[in-house]
Amino acid sequence: MLRTGRPQYAPTGTDDGTVFDIHYADPDTLTTFLTAMSGISAGPARALAEVFPRVLVSGS
């Protein structure tokens, strides 16, 4: 998308279903997908945690 301005895959789905249907259909593919999503979001999550003060929430 960065180079072409076009999505890398059809956001509305394909004959095999949406991207999420495909990932959730196979446990190994789902594990790979979720691991990748966790890895991608870890850096921004750390950066946000450093910028914003910690807020403690009481359980009571």
Side-chain angles (χ1 to χ4, degrees):
M1 182 167 177
L2 294 175
R3 293 184 182 176
T4 65
R6 294 185 305 248
Q8 297 298 308
Y9 54 84
T12 57
T14 65
D15 292 341
D16 295 325
T18 68
V19 170
F20 297 104
D21 292 334
I22 295 165
H23 290 312
Y24 279 83
D26 176 45
D28 291 334
T29 302
L30 178 60
T31 299
T32 301
F33 174 71
L34 295 177
T35 300
M37 292 298 101
S38 296
I40 289 170
S41 64
R46 283 191 192 104
L48 287 169
E50 290 175 7
V51 172
F52 291 97
R54 181 175 289 182
V55 178
L56 298 176
V57 179
S58 173
S60 57

